[in-house]
Amino acid sequence: TQLLEQSPQFLSIQEGENLTVYCNSSSVFSSLQWYRQEPGEGPVLLVTVVTGGEVKKLKRLTFQFGDARKDSSLHITAAQPGDTGLYLCAGSTQGGSEKLVFGKGTKLTVNP
Amino acid sequence: KAGVTQTPRYLIKTRGQQVTLSCSPISGHRSVSWYQQTPGQGLQFLFEYFSETQRNKGNFPGRFSGRQFSNSRSEMNVSTLELGDSALYLCASRRGGQSTDTQYFGPGTRLTVL
């Protein structure tokens, strides 16, 4: 069974602080995705990374895929209350008709 | 463009009953996947349908089943409900079947089993 471990499980910070969320596995993934989920809604895709060592930026969010494609991180700079939500990483096990394996998520609260 | 819709949004059932959940994907999307989300286990993959065929299946008992219709709408059924089946059931659609296709989630159906 391929597992994705996310840490920390919970994170409560003040507006303006920086934070990093980690997603680790012993398995290699062909691609890795990050989602954000808000209460009462389904997850929304933020980014997909496919190449080992790849770094993608989305405004104040920076995503990195590990060189060995087993881990990833999400860094948020100058967090804002609107960043509050559940952040999920999901790994794709193979190309084509693969299924996604999700981490259990990091619940982020940004206090004004 | 309408998003993924799921009905009903909330459902309360008792142990032993069965339930059917419905998902309408985004127009033009042929792939529909179902997930179960619980606080303890997180998001777990149930199955994926593509052009009316089940293409992938997660590690769930046979009580969980699904199907997809020619218009890409999908249903999932859970028979002989157990307390542990209480969860948020999410449906996601994507245009094709590649990992690079963006997957769009619906708001989910909250199932409570008493």
Side-chain angles (χ1 to χ4, degrees):
Chain A
T1 303
Q2 292 156 308
L3 295 174
L4 273 169
E5 302 286 341
Q6 278 190 248
S7 61
Q9 190 176 355
F10 299 95
L11 193 54
S12 180
I13 62 172
Q14 294 301 120
E15 182 175 359
E17 292 184 6
N18 301 331
L19 68 112
T20 302
V21 175
Y22 299 94
C23 179
N24 296 293
S25 176
S26 57
S27 302
V28 175
F29 293 97
S30 60
S31 66
L32 198 135
Q33 300 177 345
W34 284 93
Y35 292 81
R36 183 171 73 201
Q37 184 177 20
E38 298 186 28
E41 299 180 9
V44 174
L45 180 67
L46 296 173
V47 77
T48 300
V49 286
V50 297
T51 306
E54 183 176 2
V55 177
K56 280 192 173 179
K57 292 193 175 185
L58 186 66
K59 297 183 181 178
R60 295 176 293 99
L61 279 60
T62 301
F63 305 86
Q64 186 163 10
F65 201 12
D67 291 340
R69 290 185 287 129
K70 292 183 179 181
D71 56 87
S72 181
S73 64
L74 157 60
H75 182 78
I76 301 179
T77 302
Q80 298 177 1
D83 295 327
T84 293
L86 179 68
Y87 288 82
L88 297 157
C89 66
S92 177
T93 56
Q94 62 187 54
S97 61
E98 75 291 342
K99 55 187 179 184
L100 285 179
V101 175
F102 278 83
K104 292 186 179 181
T106 294
K107 190 167 184 180
L108 171 65
T109 302
V110 182
N111 302 298
Chain B
K1 191 175 186 181
V4 178
T5 58
Q6 293 188 243
T7 56
R9 290 294 310 275
Y10 302 92
L11 205 48
I12 299 176
K13 292 284 187 179
T14 56
R15 279 181 299 173
Q17 288 187 309
Q18 75 165 18
V19 67
T20 299
L21 312 181
S22 181
C23 171
S24 292
I26 292 172
S27 178
H29 285 196
R30 297 165 63 191
S31 166
V32 173
S33 296
W34 287 89
Y35 295 86
Q36 181 195 67
Q37 186 174 29
T38 60
Q41 299 299 318
L43 255 159
Q44 293 185 286
F45 173 78
L46 280 156
F47 28 66
E48 179 195 9
Y49 286 87
F50 184 82
S51 295
E52 301 179 69
T53 301
Q54 187 181 86
R55 193 162 65 165
N56 253 312
K57 191 176 189 306
N59 298 323
F60 278 82
R63 301 185 295 108
F64 292 82
S65 63
R67 59 178 176 170
Q68 186 180 32
F69 302 96
S70 58
N71 61 358
S72 292
R73 190 177 69 85
S74 178
E75 289 181 347
M76 69 161 281
N77 184 78
V78 188
S79 62
T80 320
L81 284 166
E82 300 177 0
L83 295 179
D85 296 333
S86 293
L88 180 68
Y89 289 88
L90 292 160
C91 158
S93 78
R94 53 185 173 179
R95 183 171 298 279
Q98 301 300 313
S99 61
T100 51
D101 292 334
T102 299
Q103 187 166 229
Y104 297 88
F105 281 84
T109 294
R110 172 75 61 184
L111 172 65
T112 302
V113 182
L114 303 176

